[in-house]
Amino acid sequence: MTTTERRKTAEDTVRAAEDAVVRLKEGFSGVGITLPSLRIDPVSCAGNEPATPLVDLGRCNLDTALRLSVVLEAQGLAGHDG
């Protein structure tokens, strides 16, 4: 693979991660949840060939965490042991 092809692949990978962040923001917004720190982790994109950009879901306050758990429970996505 040439340098140009590797850069193109890296750009496509980062673009896919950016799209995932947008989709997550829209999805969370649709259920009334905002994660202010939701972003692509910049360190995982360092260099010309980011192998796998990481999506940083970020930090949230207790209220947001509880609201998110309610949404997940309503969708049957949160597991409970009891």
Side-chain angles (χ1 to χ4, degrees), residues 8-51:
K8 173 72 170 124
T9 299
E11 289 172 8
D12 291 345
T13 303
V14 171
R15 192 169 296 111
E18 290 170 342
D19 290 343
V21 168
V22 168
R23 290 177 64 189
L24 283 167
K25 284 183 179 182
E26 289 172 353
F28 285 133
S29 176
V31 293
I33 294 173
T34 301
L35 296 177
S37 302
L38 178 60
R39 66 188 178 122
I40 296 174
D41 173 52
V43 175
S44 68
C45 296
N48 291 330
E49 301 178 42

Side-chain angles (χ1 to χ4, degrees), residues 38-67:
L38 178 60
R39 66 188 178 122
I40 296 174
D41 173 52
V43 175
S44 68
C45 296
N48 291 330
E49 301 178 42
T52 306
L54 300 175
V55 174
D56 185 354
L57 295 176
R59 299 167 40 186
C60 65
N61 62 30
L62 179 58
D63 180 60
T64 301
L66 292 172
R67 289 183 20 222

